[in-house]
Amino acid sequence: MKKFKRVLVPFVVFSLLVAPVSVITPASAESTEKIVESIQEIVETEEVVDFENLPIQLAEGVTLEELAEAINEPRILESKNVTIIERSTEDEIIGERQMVFSPNAAPVAKEDDSKFDFGAFTYNSADKGAKVAESDTDEVEPSSWRPSVDGVFFDHQMTSDWAGGDVYSTVKVIAVVGRVASVDATHTIIRSAKEGGKYNVERNGNLYFNPPYANLSTHRVRANAETYWWSGKLEGTVRYQGGGSSPIAHLKEVEKILTNNKGEIYPDYVDPQSNIKLIKPDADMVRQKRERDSGYRKDFERRYVGYFGQPQYFAWDDVEIHHMIPLEYYGENHFDNLIPLLKKDRKNDYILPHREVTEWWESYRKN
């Protein structure tokens, strides 16, 4: 199969409001709340934080502006101490990504707009009294006495190695702010029969990072591919050089993919004219045959033209009218379950080949 980013509201608050209940667990909600409190505390103490000398590390491809927007903290743009976490050979994505056809009929690579998927962020107060006791003089306030903005952020991606029949959950350090000493976490690949269902643990992997982050920034957990919805989670603790720690929290809904038993990712597809979206099935459907209606195709063509006009990106003779939930799994002959896909040996830059979908179903879980 082919493979087919300022509102002035704290980013994490917005994410908490819109993220699905299945993603925000009590633990992650509590962690996210702590991040919100940390951001508010920073705002209340803006005169003491030395943003100009704040050390920030960014992964290649991530900008300081994106970080500032993600945490709703424009003052980090004052930092003159920004370094780049260079890519390592492990950063190469395993397998191919899904393909999306845009509604305006221009095939484009799927945009991953969720770089800040996990994170820990805090405001660490400086214990000046203790520092003075250790110092010979307090005439000049050392920078180490100043409060510090500290945190680390991760991007999450789900991919598959179709040739090897494996599914991968990948987390990558994309931003380190302030004095992060270490990251100690458990990275888990999870699966569910339904996209919005309960996800169960499939496999864990221990993740440990400490500075410098170059060449240590990517971590993967692998599982044998089966017909499931797959995702990942990251749970653990970030410790800071000045003392203290923070739990890693969900900041956004992390990526999910649906694979068959070979590890082939079910395609994303939208019909370029009608915006009919290819339905993604559950992974636990039971075989129950429904008969094909003799007039389903003519009825679909009539209703398609009635709703959307004559097709502009294909000819009727070049397409199959595909049952998105197959008749084999009691899919309906109704218009809402149908979509035009390209016939075998026909060429079209805008229409998904029918064979790509039927081949995926050939390795769907068999009962």
Side-chain angles (χ1 to χ4, degrees), residues 55-67:
I56 298 175
Q57 299 178 64
L58 297 175
E60 289 183 335
V62 180
T63 68
L64 191 59
E65 288 76 12
E66 288 173 321
L67 174 61

Side-chain angles (χ1 to χ4, degrees), residues 173-184:
V173 176
I174 59 164
V176 183
V177 180
R179 306 169 298 176
V180 175
S182 66
V183 177
D184 192 356

Side-chain angles (χ1 to χ4, degrees), residues 165 192 234 257:
S192 175
L234 187 65
I257 58 172

Side-chain angles (χ1 to χ4, degrees), residues 38-73:
S38 296
I39 294 173
Q40 292 171 339
E41 191 172 2
I42 292 169
V43 171
E44 293 168 1
T45 57
E46 59 180 300
E47 72 280 358
V48 294
V49 177
D50 184 12
F51 284 95
E52 184 172 337
N53 293 303
L54 180 67
I56 298 175
Q57 299 178 64
L58 297 175
E60 289 183 335
V62 180
T63 68
L64 191 59
E65 288 76 12
E66 288 173 321
L67 174 61
E69 181 178 351
I71 63 176
N72 194 32
E73 183 45 87

Side-chain angles (χ1 to χ4, degrees), residues 306-357:
Y307 293 146
F308 314 112
Q310 292 292 341
Q312 303 296 308
Y313 301 101
F314 62 84
W316 287 116
D317 288 343
D318 291 336
V319 297
E320 303 280 2
I321 306 305
H322 172 70
H323 291 75
M324 293 185 275
I325 302 301
L327 294 171
E328 181 182 0
Y329 293 94
Y330 214 58
E332 296 183 326
N333 292 281
H334 191 269
F335 182 86
D336 292 340
N337 189 45
L338 302 173
I339 190 170
L341 299 179
L342 196 64
K343 287 181 178 179
K344 184 179 179 180
D345 300 329
R346 306 295 173 93
K347 296 185 181 299
N348 190 308
D349 291 334
Y350 307 124
I351 308 302
L352 179 69
H354 184 235
R355 186 61 184 164
E356 292 199 14
V357 183

